[in-house]
Amino acid sequence: MGTDLDELLKSLRVWDLPELPRFDPRDAPADPRELFTSWFGDAVAAGQVEPHTMSLATADTDGLPDVRIVMLHGVDERGWLFASHSTSRKGRQLAALPYAALAFYWPSRARQVRVRGPVRTLDAQEARADLGARSTGALAAALVGRQSEPLTAYEELARASATAWERAAAEPDAAVPSWALYALDPREVEFFQGDTERRHVRLRYAHEGDGWTQELLWP
């Protein structure tokens, strides 16, 4: 018997938790990066699975949207950092249209964070240091390369991966010229706190001049 998708969807509940955190936007700091760091730490402490993963949305040359899950590599004065091959689909899209949006979702805390703004590619030395700080597996995956290209057969990937793992173990400083580190410079950052009675709190930061403005949004 097949799965009844409609029945499954009707049976599911959102934020079926003993208690949700409270968020008073009047206590929000002036800089959204400070609030993001606080919420991120709270998600980690709550046991949220993979809180550092995020949706990255880009657009192609026709303006058609694209989205995928990537890993956060840091947040600093340059913005939200992530990495990929510059030759991948997202790398090519960012080269043509250097603007993107990010979305974090932490269901254990009924929280979302949305960020959008222009994206720039950091210098090659920073990209190499970023890759060097990651695991052997991350380096092996980067050494395989050819991200987003058509794959003839899975066996081809298995062979390339085995070779890459051997090289990554032997050369932990191996260079991957296509590896790029990106920084999304935030123009807007929105924080969403869920509420069981659907009175969700949405606080939007907008970058203006050298600072930030804040406003509440209807849920």
Side-chain angles (χ1 to χ4, degrees):
M1 180 180 293
T3 299
D4 189 324
L5 180 60
D6 288 338
E7 289 302 317
L8 280 176
L9 289 172
K10 291 175 184 177
S11 71
L12 297 175
R13 296 293 177 265
V14 177
W15 309 323
D16 187 14
L17 303 168
E19 184 179 1
L20 296 182
R22 307 298 299 174
F23 172 50
D24 189 338
R26 293 172 296 185
D27 298 329
D31 192 320
R33 287 167 293 196
E34 183 179 341
L35 182 56
F36 177 84
T37 299
S38 174
W39 277 27
F40 185 85
D42 178 79
V44 172
Q48 175 61 54
V49 176
E50 299 181 352
H52 57 318
T53 56
M54 58 189 184
S55 298
L56 167 66
T58 55
D60 63 20
T61 53
D62 294 321
L64 299 176
D66 211 345
V67 67
R68 75 290 287 163
I69 304 298
V70 299
M71 186 183 300
L72 177 69
H73 284 221
V75 179
D76 59 25
E77 69 281 354
R78 297 168 297 182
W80 273 250
L81 309 182
F82 60 94
S84 180
H85 289 281
S86 60
T87 52
S88 67
R89 176 181 291 185
K90 56 184 169 294
R92 297 193 303 271
Q93 290 174 348
L94 288 169
L97 182 61
Y99 208 96
L102 307 173
F104 295 84
Y105 179 45
W106 301 316
S108 65
R109 308 304 281 159
R111 285 175 169 173
Q112 301 178 52
V113 181
R114 301 167 59 203
V115 189
R116 67 174 181 169
V119 177
R120 67 187 179 96
T121 306
L122 302 183
D123 65 48
Q125 184 175 356
E126 288 182 282
R128 184 166 184 173
D130 170 77
L131 185 56
R134 301 181 70 198
S135 66
T136 300
L139 175 57
L143 286 168
V144 170
R146 303 186 65 179
Q147 192 175 63
S148 303
E149 294 182 17
L151 176 64
T152 303
Y154 182 79
E155 290 73 19
E156 184 180 359
L157 170 60
R159 289 191 296 270
S161 178
T163 300
W165 271 91
E166 291 179 4
R167 185 182 175 195
E171 302 177 45
D173 296 324
V176 182
S178 62
W179 190 254
L181 183 63
Y182 298 96
L184 188 154
D185 183 13
R187 302 292 93 187
E188 297 179 34
V189 186
E190 181 190 323
F191 295 84
F192 173 103
Q193 173 62 67
D195 181 275
T196 55
E197 296 183 345
R198 301 302 190 263
R199 293 193 288 262
H200 313 309
V201 179
R202 293 177 63 188
L203 176 64
R204 174 182 176 270
Y205 287 79
H207 192 267
E208 291 190 8
D210 295 328
W212 294 89
T213 62
Q214 298 179 17
E215 67 174 349
L216 292 173
L217 302 176
W218 284 84

PDB file of all heavy atoms in Angstrom, residues 5-17:
ATOM      1  N   LEU A   5      -0.023  10.747   1.432  1.00  0.00           N
ATOM      2  CA  LEU A   5       0.657  11.986   1.798  1.00  0.00           C
ATOM      3  C   LEU A   5      -0.272  12.953   2.514  1.00  0.00           C
ATOM      4  O   LEU A   5       0.113  13.595   3.501  1.00  0.00           O
ATOM      5  CB  LEU A   5       1.241  12.642   0.540  1.00  0.00           C
ATOM      6  CG  LEU A   5       1.984  13.961   0.756  1.00  0.00           C
ATOM      7  CD1 LEU A   5       3.160  13.785   1.701  1.00  0.00           C
ATOM      8  CD2 LEU A   5       2.455  14.532  -0.585  1.00  0.00           C
ATOM      9  N   ASP A   6      -1.504  13.068   2.039  1.00  0.00           N
ATOM     10  CA  ASP A   6      -2.440  14.005   2.665  1.00  0.00           C
ATOM     11  C   ASP A   6      -2.685  13.656   4.127  1.00  0.00           C
ATOM     12  O   ASP A   6      -2.715  14.534   4.991  1.00  0.00           O
ATOM     13  CB  ASP A   6      -3.774  14.022   1.906  1.00  0.00           C
ATOM     14  CG  ASP A   6      -3.663  14.702   0.556  1.00  0.00           C
ATOM     15  OD1 ASP A   6      -2.722  15.499   0.380  1.00  0.00           O
ATOM     16  OD2 ASP A   6      -4.504  14.438  -0.329  1.00  0.00           O
ATOM     17  N   GLU A   7      -2.878  12.364   4.396  1.00  0.00           N
ATOM     18  CA  GLU A   7      -3.118  11.945   5.783  1.00  0.00           C
ATOM     19  C   GLU A   7      -1.891  12.193   6.642  1.00  0.00           C
ATOM     20  O   GLU A   7      -1.998  12.603   7.808  1.00  0.00           O
ATOM     21  CB  GLU A   7      -3.525  10.467   5.832  1.00  0.00           C
ATOM     22  CG  GLU A   7      -4.912  10.200   5.299  1.00  0.00           C
ATOM     23  CD  GLU A   7      -5.978  10.988   6.059  1.00  0.00           C
ATOM     24  OE1 GLU A   7      -5.896  11.035   7.313  1.00  0.00           O
ATOM     25  OE2 GLU A   7      -6.870  11.559   5.413  1.00  0.00           O
ATOM     26  N   LEU A   8      -0.725  11.929   6.097  1.00  0.00           N
ATOM     27  CA  LEU A   8       0.504  12.187   6.857  1.00  0.00           C
ATOM     28  C   LEU A   8       0.637  13.669   7.195  1.00  0.00           C
ATOM     29  O   LEU A   8       0.966  14.041   8.318  1.00  0.00           O
ATOM     30  CB  LEU A   8       1.724  11.726   6.055  1.00  0.00           C
ATOM     31  CG  LEU A   8       2.046  10.240   6.062  1.00  0.00           C
ATOM     32  CD1 LEU A   8       3.233   9.952   5.144  1.00  0.00           C
ATOM     33  CD2 LEU A   8       2.358   9.762   7.479  1.00  0.00           C
ATOM     34  N   LEU A   9       0.373  14.514   6.209  1.00  0.00           N
ATOM     35  CA  LEU A   9       0.491  15.956   6.442  1.00  0.00           C
ATOM     36  C   LEU A   9      -0.489  16.424   7.517  1.00  0.00           C
ATOM     37  O   LEU A   9      -0.157  17.260   8.366  1.00  0.00           O
ATOM     38  CB  LEU A   9       0.253  16.712   5.138  1.00  0.00           C
ATOM     39  CG  LEU A   9       1.365  16.591   4.087  1.00  0.00           C
ATOM     40  CD1 LEU A   9       0.927  17.219   2.771  1.00  0.00           C
ATOM     41  CD2 LEU A   9       2.652  17.240   4.581  1.00  0.00           C
ATOM     42  N   LYS A  10      -1.705  15.899   7.489  1.00  0.00           N
ATOM     43  CA  LYS A  10      -2.706  16.303   8.477  1.00  0.00           C
ATOM     44  C   LYS A  10      -2.347  15.834   9.883  1.00  0.00           C
ATOM     45  O   LYS A  10      -2.783  16.430  10.871  1.00  0.00           O
ATOM     46  CB  LYS A  10      -4.074  15.741   8.083  1.00  0.00           C
ATOM     47  CG  LYS A  10      -4.665  16.372   6.829  1.00  0.00           C
ATOM     48  CD  LYS A  10      -5.952  15.677   6.441  1.00  0.00           C
ATOM     49  CE  LYS A  10      -6.510  16.240   5.131  1.00  0.00           C
ATOM     50  NZ  LYS A  10      -7.739  15.514   4.700  1.00  0.00           N
ATOM     51  N   SER A  11      -1.576  14.752   9.976  1.00  0.00           N
ATOM     52  CA  SER A  11      -1.245  14.186  11.287  1.00  0.00           C
ATOM     53  C   SER A  11      -0.089  14.901  11.978  1.00  0.00           C
ATOM     54  O   SER A  11       0.121  14.727  13.172  1.00  0.00           O
ATOM     55  CB  SER A  11      -0.887  12.704  11.137  1.00  0.00           C
ATOM     56  OG  SER A  11       0.372  12.541  10.483  1.00  0.00           O
ATOM     57  N   LEU A  12       0.643  15.693  11.222  1.00  0.00           N
ATOM     58  CA  LEU A  12       1.852  16.318  11.771  1.00  0.00           C
ATOM     59  C   LEU A  12       1.527  17.582  12.554  1.00  0.00           C
ATOM     60  O   LEU A  12       0.584  18.311  12.242  1.00  0.00           O
ATOM     61  CB  LEU A  12       2.826  16.633  10.642  1.00  0.00           C
ATOM     62  CG  LEU A  12       3.348  15.426   9.865  1.00  0.00           C
ATOM     63  CD1 LEU A  12       4.205  15.873   8.693  1.00  0.00           C
ATOM     64  CD2 LEU A  12       4.142  14.495  10.778  1.00  0.00           C
ATOM     65  N   ARG A  13       2.348  17.829  13.581  1.00  0.00           N
ATOM     66  CA  ARG A  13       2.204  19.030  14.386  1.00  0.00           C
ATOM     67  C   ARG A  13       3.511  19.811  14.369  1.00  0.00           C
ATOM     68  O   ARG A  13       4.593  19.230  14.226  1.00  0.00           O
ATOM     69  CB  ARG A  13       1.835  18.673  15.831  1.00  0.00           C
ATOM     70  CG  ARG A  13       0.481  17.991  15.951  1.00  0.00           C
ATOM     71  CD  ARG A  13      -0.645  18.949  15.592  1.00  0.00           C
ATOM     72  NE  ARG A  13      -1.950  18.308  15.637  1.00  0.00           N
ATOM     73  CZ  ARG A  13      -2.554  17.778  14.580  1.00  0.00           C
ATOM     74  NH1 ARG A  13      -1.958  17.792  13.391  1.00  0.00           N
ATOM     75  NH2 ARG A  13      -3.736  17.226  14.685  1.00  0.00           N
ATOM     76  N   VAL A  14       3.394  21.122  14.509  1.00  0.00           N
ATOM     77  CA  VAL A  14       4.564  21.997  14.514  1.00  0.00           C
ATOM     78  C   VAL A  14       4.857  22.443  15.935  1.00  0.00           C
ATOM     79  O   VAL A  14       3.939  22.824  16.669  1.00  0.00           O
ATOM     80  CB  VAL A  14       4.324  23.221  13.606  1.00  0.00           C
ATOM     81  CG1 VAL A  14       5.517  24.172  13.659  1.00  0.00           C
ATOM     82  CG2 VAL A  14       4.072  22.778  12.177  1.00  0.00           C
ATOM     83  N   TRP A  15       6.124  22.380  16.315  1.00  0.00           N
ATOM     84  CA  TRP A  15       6.582  22.850  17.635  1.00  0.00           C
ATOM     85  C   TRP A  15       5.802  22.201  18.774  1.00  0.00           C
ATOM     86  O   TRP A  15       5.291  22.872  19.676  1.00  0.00           O
ATOM     87  CB  TRP A  15       6.482  24.381  17.741  1.00  0.00           C
ATOM     88  CG  TRP A  15       7.128  25.085  16.610  1.00  0.00           C
ATOM     89  CD1 TRP A  15       8.276  24.732  15.961  1.00  0.00           C
ATOM     90  CD2 TRP A  15       6.656  26.271  15.946  1.00  0.00           C
ATOM     91  NE1 TRP A  15       8.548  25.613  14.952  1.00  0.00           N
ATOM     92  CE2 TRP A  15       7.582  26.566  14.921  1.00  0.00           C
ATOM     93  CE3 TRP A  15       5.561  27.105  16.131  1.00  0.00           C
ATOM     94  CZ2 TRP A  15       7.428  27.665  14.080  1.00  0.00           C
ATOM     95  CZ3 TRP A  15       5.405  28.196  15.306  1.00  0.00           C
ATOM     96  CH2 TRP A  15       6.334  28.472  14.293  1.00  0.00           C
ATOM     97  N   ASP A  16       5.703  20.887  18.707  1.00  0.00           N
ATOM     98  CA  ASP A  16       5.039  20.127  19.765  1.00  0.00           C
ATOM     99  C   ASP A  16       6.041  19.954  20.902  1.00  0.00           C
ATOM    100  O   ASP A  16       6.582  18.876  21.131  1.00  0.00           O
ATOM    101  CB  ASP A  16       4.566  18.776  19.218  1.00  0.00           C
ATOM    102  CG  ASP A  16       3.718  18.021  20.223  1.00  0.00           C
ATOM    103  OD1 ASP A  16       3.278  18.635  21.220  1.00  0.00           O
ATOM    104  OD2 ASP A  16       3.500  16.802  20.025  1.00  0.00           O
ATOM    105  N   LEU A  17       6.283  21.055  21.608  1.00  0.00           N
ATOM    106  CA  LEU A  17       7.318  21.110  22.628  1.00  0.00           C
ATOM    107  C   LEU A  17       6.712  21.493  23.973  1.00  0.00           C
ATOM    108  O   LEU A  17       5.662  22.159  24.031  1.00  0.00           O
ATOM    109  CB  LEU A  17       8.383  22.152  22.243  1.00  0.00           C
ATOM    110  CG  LEU A  17       9.063  21.939  20.884  1.00  0.00           C
ATOM    111  CD1 LEU A  17       9.855  23.184  20.498  1.00  0.00           C
ATOM    112  CD2 LEU A  17       9.977  20.726  20.932  1.00  0.00           C
TER     113      LEU A  17
END
